[in-house]
């Protein structure tokens, strides 16, 4: 395993731990304060613990098999497979956001703006910190680290759009602005995930990546 892969493994582990701690804190405070916003965001964080945890496990597997004399395959394929799987999770995550946002048009709910903005701000700070941890040189990147990086960037984008949308909705009393912001974010995330699926899928099939 190269030095860069070992570095990626350690960075990914730190992000998993940071996200997991945030998840636990938000769920605990969501239960104690009876805040659905905090509880929902804590559960949502769990999906990212799963996705980024998958990236971390992939590096462990690569490290193990690279030391095994019985393994004669290409360890890079393991990272590409993990990246592809993570890309699928990212795509599902984007469609879930879009479906929930569209439902809000037909079934609007009362939003506790200040509480929701606080939750979104916590998520943004955590994801900015995670993005710094997962930042990597392009020439030393792989589909696995890129997938983990896209997950935290996508979540940061969602948090930022939520903050802007909620603030605008609170100031002008137009709740659907928050919904529009969520739909725009999901479209951007879908574009990122499709690009990741094309690149990692091409690597798995040993074909030239589709531009």
């Amino acid at each position: 395993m190269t030095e860069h892969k070992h570095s990626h493994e350690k960075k990914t582990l730190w992000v998993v731990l940071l996200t997991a701690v945030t998840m636990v804190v938000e769920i605990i405070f969501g239960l104690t304060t009876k805040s659905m916003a905090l509880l929902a965001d804590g559960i949502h964080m769990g999906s990212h613990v799963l996705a980024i945890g998958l990236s971390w496990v992939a590096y462990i597997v690569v490290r193990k098999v690279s030391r095994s004399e019985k393994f004669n395959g290409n360890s890079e394929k393991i990272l590409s497979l993990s990246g592809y799987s993570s890309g699928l999770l990212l795509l599902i995550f984007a469609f879930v956001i879009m479906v929930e946002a569209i439902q809000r048009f037909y079934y609007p709910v009362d939003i506790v703006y200040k509480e929701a903005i606080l939750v979104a701000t916590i998520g943004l700070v955590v994801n900015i910190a995670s993005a710094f941890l997962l930042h990597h040189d392009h020439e030393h990147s792989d589909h696995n680290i890129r997938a983990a990086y896209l997950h935290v960037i996508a979540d940061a984008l969602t948090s930022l759009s939520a903050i802007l949308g909620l603030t605008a909705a609170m100031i002008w009393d137009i709740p659907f602005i928050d919904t529009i912001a969520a739909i725009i974010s999901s479209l951007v995330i879908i574009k990122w995930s499709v690009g990741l699926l094309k690149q990692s899928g091409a690597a798995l099939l040993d074909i030239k990546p589709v531009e």
Side-chain angles (χ1 to χ4, degrees):
M1 189 175 185
T2 67
E3 181 182 343
H4 295 291
K5 295 291 184 292
H6 184 61
S7 174
H8 291 168
E9 179 186 332
K10 290 193 293 185
K11 289 178 179 179
T12 308
L13 173 59
W14 278 110
V15 171
V16 171
L17 293 175
L18 178 61
T19 308
V21 168
T22 305
M23 175 192 73
V24 171
V25 170
E26 287 190 349
I27 289 175
I28 290 174
F29 275 86
L31 291 172
T32 56
T33 63
K34 303 191 186 311
S35 165
M36 286 305 297
L38 270 173
L39 186 60
D41 200 59
I43 294 171
H44 164 72
M45 278 285 185
S47 67
H48 285 278
V49 172
L50 174 64
I52 301 170
L54 174 65
S55 297
W56 174 58
V57 169
Y59 284 120
I60 293 176
V61 173
V62 168
R63 177 160 50 84
K64 296 289 186 182
V65 299
S66 63
R67 295 175 180 174
S68 173
E69 295 179 356
K70 296 180 180 179
F71 182 77
N72 297 316
N74 182 1
S75 62
E76 291 295 324
K77 290 288 183 74
I78 297 173
L79 299 180
S80 294
L81 178 60
S82 174
Y84 189 88
S85 302
S86 197
L88 284 176
L89 290 175
L90 192 63
L91 188 62
I92 293 169
F93 162 64
F95 276 115
V96 168
I97 292 175
M98 183 174 288
V99 170
E100 289 182 351
I102 292 173
Q103 286 178 341
R104 288 289 179 91
F105 278 121
Y106 297 98
Y107 307 103
V109 297
D110 293 327
I111 302 173
V112 183
Y113 290 109
K114 292 182 179 179
E115 183 181 270
I117 291 171
L118 173 62
V119 174
T121 302
I122 292 171
L124 181 61
V125 170
V126 170
N127 283 292
I128 288 175
S130 298
F132 273 108
L133 281 170
L134 290 175
H135 183 71
H136 53 280
D137 295 330
H138 182 71
E139 61 269 23
H140 296 134
S141 66
D142 55 60
H143 294 118
N144 195 43
I145 193 70
R146 184 165 180 264
Y149 186 68
L150 281 182
H151 266 282
V152 297
I153 292 296
D155 212 17
L157 175 65
T158 305
S159 297
L160 180 60
S161 66
I163 292 169
L164 295 175
L166 287 165
T167 302
M170 181 175 63
I171 293 173
W172 293 310
D173 193 26
I174 308 177
F176 68 80
I177 292 179
D178 172 58
T179 303
I180 293 172
I183 291 175
I184 292 172
S185 293
S186 64
L187 290 173
V188 174
I189 296 168
I190 287 171
K191 184 178 184 298
W192 289 347
S193 59
V194 169
L196 177 61
L197 288 171
K198 285 181 178 179
Q199 292 180 4
S200 56
L204 287 170
L205 297 174
D206 291 322
I207 61 177
K208 185 178 180 180
V210 179
E211 297 297 335

